Amino acid sequence: MSEIRVNKVINEAGTGSVELTQGATLPSGKTISGAGDLSMTGIATAATIVATGTVIGAAGSFSGDVTVGGTLTYEDVT
């Protein structure tokens, strides 16, 4: 197996992030962390998602139980 050790990875122009055209895989027990935003388009699949801030979404779909640990509020009920 090959190994590359670097401090930062930026695009060829040196102006922004790289494009992972073949995807990326994190080994079990490893995380993504840092300051800033994580933005995804499409389907995100995870066994567990832990958010310490606000989670914003346009829609949600759940196939199992949903638990709310705080107050659940809503504007309209039909």
Side-chain angles (χ1 to χ4, degrees):
M1 175 186 344
S2 299
E3 183 175 299
I4 298 173
R5 294 181 182 210
V6 298
N7 291 326
K8 294 182 180 180
V9 179
I10 58 176
N11 65 5
E12 185 177 5
T15 58
S17 60
V18 296
E19 183 177 343
L20 303 174
T21 58
Q22 299 300 313
T25 301
L26 291 178
S28 179
K30 300 299 181 182
T31 62
I32 296 175
S33 62
D37 298 333
L38 175 62
S39 178
M40 293 180 277
T41 301
I43 297 172
T45 303
T48 302
I49 296 175
V50 177
T52 58
T54 302
V55 177
I56 300 171
S61 177
F62 303 92
S63 61
D65 296 338
V66 175
T67 302
V68 177
T71 303
L72 179 64
T73 61
Y74 51 88
E75 297 292 324
D76 300 311
V77 177
T78 55

